[in-house]
Structures are given as C-alpha cells and as structure tokens.
Amino acid sequence: MQNSLFPPEKSLSQKESNETTDNRFDPDIYADLNPAQHEAVTTMDGPVLVIAGAGSGKTRTLIYRLAHLVDQKIAPEKILLLTFTRKAAQEMLHRAAFLMKETCCRVNGGTFHSVASNLLRHYGYHLGYSANFTILDRSDSEGIINLLKSSLDLGGEGKKFPSKRVVMNIISGAVNKSVSINELMENRYAHLLDHEKDILLIRDHYQQFKFDHGLMDYDDLLVNLKKLLSEFPDIRKSISNLYSHIMVDEYQDTNLIQAEIVTLLADNHNNVMVVGDDAQSIYSFRGANFRNIMDFPELFPQTKIVKLEENYRSSQSILNVTNEIISQAEERFTKKLFSRIDKGPKPILYAAQNEDQQARYVTGQILDLKRKGGDINKIAVLFRSSFHSYKLELELTNHHLSFEKRGGQKLTESAHMKDVLSFMRISCNPQDNLSWNRVLLQLDKVGPKTAQKILTRIKTSDDPLSTLKKYPAAKGWKNNFIKLVELLEKLFNLTNPLEVYELVMNYYQPIFERIYHDDYPGRTNDLEQLKDILKSYDDLQNFLDDSSLDPPEAQTTGSKNETKLVLSTIHSAKGLEWDTIFVINLAQGKFPASYARWTDEIEEERRLLYVASTRARKNLYFVYPREILNKERQLIPATMSQFLEHLSRDLLNHPGSFTSFKPSPRSAKQKVSISLFPPGTVVKHGFFGKGTVIAIAGPRSVDVEFSGHGLKTLHLDYAKLKIID
C-alpha cells in the first residue's frame, strides 16, 4: 500500500475536518502507554530521537504517534512514515487505522525506495528523467553489466574477469557505503584490484547506459533523490512542505544517503522523529552506518531524546546480563532495560570440552526442555556464522529433532564444498556417477558432452580407475586429465580424512581459484572449516555418512504445522523472539569473529551478541568450547568471548567447570594504563599468542601484530595482555 505523496494544496474540507473530529482518540487509549512511550507519542514538534531498547514497544509507539498526530488535526497526507519494508509500513498504517478508523490510511507510508520513486516521477525531469523511467531489478542490472563487459571486450572465454554479480556488488556496495570503489575493493575485494580500472570503466558506461535509456536501479532512486534535494533548493523547499511531520523506523539501519535524505526532507521544519536502537546496529556489511543514530542530536541541535527502557519481552534476570553486555560499549546512548515480568532463572554459562561436547550439551538441554513440556518451536540456537552449527546439526539429526535453519547456506551445500566432497565420495565409492560427473567438469576444456562420454565408459566398468587411465584424452586437456588420474590413484589407497583432504586441496586449489576467481578468498574459510571438521574423524566414510544423515531436505521436510527448533545466524534472528535462546561458540576467535580487527568491528560484534541475548523471553544459555583449532590446525585451549569476561559472576548460573570470571564490576579494580603499551612493546595474549604493539588505536585499545593471526585491535580491559620483557 503506497499512498499518494502529493496532497492538494488546499486545507481540509469541512467534511474531512468533521471526519477527523469524529475519529478522535478515545482518551483511555493513552493508558496503554508507559510514561516514556507517552512522551514520544505526544511530542508534536521539533526533532525527536527515540532510543527504543529491545522489546520496548517501538512499533506500538510509532503507531500511536501516527494516530495522535491525526488526532491533533495534522492532515494525514502531511505525515510521512519511512520504513525498510513495505510490509512494515502496511502493518503500522493498518494498526493506526484501527485506532483512528480509516483516516490514518491516508498517511504516506513506504520504504525509502518507494518514496524516492514517487518523488522522482514527479520531479525527476529536473535531473533529465521523464516520469515514466523504468526501475531495474538486480537481474536487469546484472544483464546490462554483462552486455557492457562484452562490448568493452572485458569478458569472454579465457579471461579471468569478475562475474557480473561481483561487479554489481562492487558498484552497488560503494554507493551504499558512500565510499570510492577503490576503498571498497581494498577492504573487501583486494584480490581483484588488478581489475579496478576496468570496473570503473564499466561503472561509468553503466551509469551512462541507464541515463540514455531512462533507467534507474535501486541505488539510483536514493542517489537521484538526494541529488534532487541537494542541488535544487526550490524543489527541496516544495517537497519539504509536502510533509509537516516525518517519522523513520529502524534508524540505526540507515546508510549515509538515507540519513542525508531525511535531513533534506525536514529542511523547512525539522519535525522529524527517528526511532531505533544504537545497541542493535549490526548491518554495516549492507551499508548501515552506526554514526547516523549517534550523530542525530548533533545534526539537529534541538533534539529531544526519549529512551524506551521498559522491556515487555524478557525476564529481569536476562536483562541484567544484556545490560552489562552493552554497558562495555565504547560509544552508546546510556540506557538500562527493566521488566515487570517475573525475574526468572539466571542465564547459564556453560563451558564445553570441545565443539562435539558443546553439540551434545545443547541437544541434551533441548531434549530436557521438551520432556518438561516446552514447545520446541519456542527454542532457537543462534550463532555468529552459518557454519558454526554444523556439528549441532548432526547431533540434532541423530536424536530425530526437526529443525529449520535460517541465514546462510549450509556448509555442504555450497558449490566449492560439493566439489571437494566429490573427490572424497569417489575414493569411498568408485561407482558414484554424480560425483564423477562433477569432478570431470572441473577439467578445463571438458564440457558436458565429453564428461558424459567418459562417464559412459566408467559406468560399464568394474574398475573405473583403470578405464579412466585408458581413455584417449584430447591434447587440449590431456595434462590436466593425467593429474586427475594420478590424484585418484593415491586417494583410492587412503582412508585418513586429513590425508585425503591435503591431497585433494593440492590438486583442487588452482581449479578452485580458476572457477571461483572473483570471490574465492571469501569461500576459502569454508574449506578451512571443512578441515577443522575432518580433524575429529578417524575414517573418511564415517564423515561422509554423517554428512548424509543431514541432507538439505532435513531443514524443510514435514508439514507447515510441524513444530521445529530454529537454528539461525544472529543477523537473521533480529526482530524475533523465543522462550529459550542458546548462543553457541562464544569462544575468543569465534565470537567476536577472528577477522574483526578494528575497534568499530569489535564494537559491532558486541552489539551482535546483545541482539542475540535480547531475543530470549525466559531462558538464555551462553555456550563455548574450551578447546578449538588454531590457524595451524592445532588443538589449543580457548577462552570465553571477551564480551562475557566482564560479566558479574552472580548474574549467571555456571554448571560444570570453566575458566574464571573477572571480578564483579561492582568491586573496584584499577585499570592497566595504556602508557605501558607503547608501539614496539612485545606482549602475549591467551588466544593469539605472542605479538608486537603496532599503534595506539583508542583510549583503551591497541593494535597488535600477531604471527599467524595478523593485526588485531584489542581492548586492554578485556584482552589480558601480558608484557614480555
């Protein structure tokens, strides 16, 4: 539902005025609001920043404010509600209309992109666009990129140029993060920097192609609206006058362009309310900028800040812990969530011996909750990265517990993982024709027809390897074919999983980099994770059997009404809630992720744990393994995540033995002075080992270079660095 964005210039008719009066709020409705919500709802004018803590009734506050504005005779057409999904806008307007009958249906509500589209159709001629410009979807855009690659002679057979998808990711990513293509590539696509000049060329031709043909992609809608508002003051004034009051949901998820658009739209009046939670800003990889919500009061100096701190979701015992987690953030709006719900059990911190025992513990607790009458569909296991749940998936399947996995692809579903597993399956079962086909198609210059010819001979042979050795390979692919035969000869005599893995990877690495040349660095982590998993198996067949027990169908089988446990990445769980939450793999190096180096990255990881923890209504479990594999594939002791170390011991239950907590923050403890860690200082860390301080990164943070782990930014209050003389 997208309402008209262009109200008539005349004031409300007498009939409309009477209708508005007839639809006035029932005064008793205000009793449904707590004092902070009431303040946010009834503040009419000026800039307002609503810091809405997790579970604090953010949506209710927005809905009631919409209704209140209409109740105070603000024409509904003069109100603009900006959201991130069409569904969110529709739901809010529908619920507001329930309070004020049909009047609120005339409020202008929609996504940033839909609002931009409507405004550009009305005013875009100032930028050279007609009102009937076409909006490209992602596949349309990639098609144009492919066309340009060909016309500029940048693609084609034998040329290792990034795919249309990756080129589009780079162009769009730079726009959404408001950075140059060079900066984005240096940070995320360093392996493609040799192609930077050509990608810039494609970008320029892509922009011109769209303009010449009256096209805009999703990014253009925001970029062009910002340009229109910035470069044409009269148009900005005219558009700003359309809306006397602007409201923005989930402001912590806006990118820089969206924040600038909000500022420009409010140019004439500054009647803008943004609602969000700095502690739940976790989407920087999509372009969301944490600074937008933090800097709002500076951008609008007269900002009233309203904090929604009463939580309607979680027990106080859970909130005591989540409050302490976020209290250590280097920059935040101070708030302390509280609840009138029963205090409930303390969250549990459990240190498992290793990842296998972690999976057994979590499964056991889930079975115990189920035996006690708990609904399994009210339980979720959350994790930092999708592959962190692999061993748990196997354990749950072995106990016949149905689950639904959300966020990210399963480890064994990705194409590069299937490639590697095909070699392993052939070595255990030479009659596996599906795996044979996949392996053969990896050969350069071998297509489906040739692969089928080879496969036909293998199918009818009692000794596939001997048959393969005798096949008359063509000159163009003979050498690679011989290498494949030599690999398979060695594999057929091995059963040790790690030995098989090493042989396969020695052969597969150049193929891997050729097939996935534009994004193989991002896929490498999966292959390293596979090696970690194989470390716990003595026999390759056992591993393959376990993998087969957990097929992709296991996540989607059963009726829609079947109760299922949820396994989810934390990013996919935001905005949801369950009675019981398990957060797993909370070991240093896994959470925060090992690649989080800089202070802003570490801080977003902290917010990620906060989001995970605040999903729980009744029960919260923190689980981590005490042994993990390091970069050198050695089993080493692990410590709990630095985000848990500072928690007061008396806030948690802690069955079993585990590494000790830090003393409660209530007890005075002198901080280590950062002056003791000048550049050049040699230090030792419990997880990363020996390193050298490179620079002072912040008031309490240092950059340390570790051999084998690279550069890490560590906070002195958590890292427990020891100075080595």
Side-chain angles (χ1 to χ4, degrees), residues 371-648:
R371 280 193 295 268
K372 293 177 179 177
D375 292 334
I376 198 166
N377 62 330
K378 294 182 180 179
I379 301 173
V381 182
L382 306 182
F383 29 85
R384 174 63 185 84
S385 302
S386 182
F387 58 79
H388 283 179
S389 67
Y390 179 79
K391 293 194 174 182
L392 177 61
E393 292 171 33
L394 294 178
E395 190 70 22
L396 293 170
T397 302
N398 289 337
H399 285 82
H400 308 291
L401 285 170
S402 297
F403 61 86
E404 174 189 354
K405 187 171 181 182
R406 303 174 184 173
Q409 196 175 43
K410 285 180 57 185
L411 188 65
T412 55
E413 285 181 338
S414 53
H416 52 291
M417 289 292 289
K418 288 181 177 179
D419 288 346
V420 173
L421 291 175
S422 291
F423 292 100
M424 298 180 178
R425 290 185 173 124
I426 288 173
S427 70
C428 289
N429 177 17
Q431 304 301 323
D432 185 342
N433 294 326
L434 191 63
S435 293
W436 272 114
N437 189 60
R438 191 174 193 94
V439 165
L440 291 170
L441 287 175
Q442 292 173 13
L443 294 170
D444 195 17
K445 298 183 180 179
V446 170
K449 289 184 179 179
T450 302
Q452 281 302 312
K453 288 179 181 178
I454 301 172
L455 191 56
T456 299
R457 295 198 183 189
I458 293 174
K459 284 180 182 178
T460 58
S461 172
D462 294 331
D463 188 351
L465 185 58
S466 296
T467 302
L468 195 68
K469 291 169 69 174
K470 296 174 184 176
Y471 190 85
K475 184 178 180 181
W477 48 276
K478 185 173 183 178
N479 289 338
N480 289 333
F481 185 71
I482 291 172
K483 291 179 182 178
L484 172 61
V485 172
E486 291 174 347
L487 168 69
L488 293 172
E489 280 187 302
K490 295 175 183 176
L491 291 182
F492 282 1
N493 295 312
L494 291 175
T495 59
N496 181 278
L498 285 178
E499 291 180 9
V500 170
Y501 176 88
E502 295 293 350
L503 279 174
V504 169
M505 286 307 301
N506 286 338
Y507 167 84
Y508 178 67
Q509 188 66 37
I511 297 173
F512 173 56
E513 294 181 12
R514 171 174 58 81
I515 296 176
Y516 308 104
H517 60 89
D518 50 11
D519 65 348
Y520 74 85
R523 296 173 182 257
T524 300
N525 192 45
D526 291 343
L527 298 176
E528 293 176 350
Q529 179 68 14
L530 174 61
K531 186 173 183 179
D532 291 348
I533 292 168
L534 290 170
K535 187 90 174 179
S536 61
Y537 286 89
D538 296 323
D539 183 80
L540 183 61
Q541 187 64 61
N542 289 339
F543 163 73
L544 294 174
D545 288 346
D546 278 352
S547 298
S548 299
L549 288 172
D550 186 28
E553 293 82 2
Q555 297 186 354
T556 57
T557 55
S559 67
K560 292 183 179 179
N561 295 325
E562 181 182 357
T563 56
K564 292 183 180 180
L565 169 75
V566 171
L567 308 185
S568 177
T569 60
I570 299 168
H571 286 102
S572 297
K574 186 175 179 292
L576 304 175
E577 58 187 63
W578 291 268
D579 282 353
T580 300
I581 292 290
F582 294 85
V583 189
I584 63 172
N585 269 322
L586 279 164
Q588 194 67 17
K590 288 183 174 290
F591 201 148
S594 59
Y595 52 76
R597 297 181 176 183
W598 309 110
T599 300
D600 58 344
E601 294 173 328
I602 293 291
E603 288 302 299
E604 181 157 327
E605 295 281 303
R606 184 195 314 282
R607 297 193 293 269
L608 201 58
L609 178 58
Y610 176 80
V611 167
S613 305
T614 52
R615 302 308 95 199
R617 288 190 287 251
K618 298 178 180 178
N619 305 299
L620 176 60
Y621 293 77
F622 297 127
V623 189
Y624 75 97
R626 286 183 290 174
E627 292 179 340
I628 60 173
L629 292 170
N630 64 10
K631 292 282 187 181
E632 289 73 39
R633 312 304 170 204
Q634 299 169 326
L635 200 61
I636 61 169
T639 58
M640 72 177 75
S641 168
Q642 66 192 64
F643 305 139
L644 298 179
E645 285 184 335
H646 71 274
L647 295 179
S648 305

Side-chain angles (χ1 to χ4, degrees), residues 25 88 104 138 170 174 188 234 253 269 326 335 433 442 562-563 575 658 669:
F25 252 150
C104 284
R138 180 58 184 245
I170 292 171
R188 297 188 60 184
D234 290 342
D253 293 336
H269 49 72
I326 205 62
K335 64 178 179 296
N433 294 326
Q442 292 173 13
E562 181 182 357
T563 56
F658 50 86
K669 181 178 180 180

Side-chain angles (χ1 to χ4, degrees), residues 36-50:
Q37 291 173 334
H38 187 273
E39 182 180 10
V41 165
T42 56
T43 299
M44 293 281 292
D45 300 319
V48 183
L49 171 60
V50 179

Side-chain angles (χ1 to χ4, degrees), residues 227-245:
K227 184 177 182 181
L228 179 72
L229 295 170
S230 300
E231 297 181 5
F232 298 88
D234 290 342
I235 301 303
R236 179 173 69 248
K237 182 177 181 180
S238 176
I239 293 175
S240 183
N241 282 335
L242 289 175
Y243 317 113
S244 63
H245 291 76

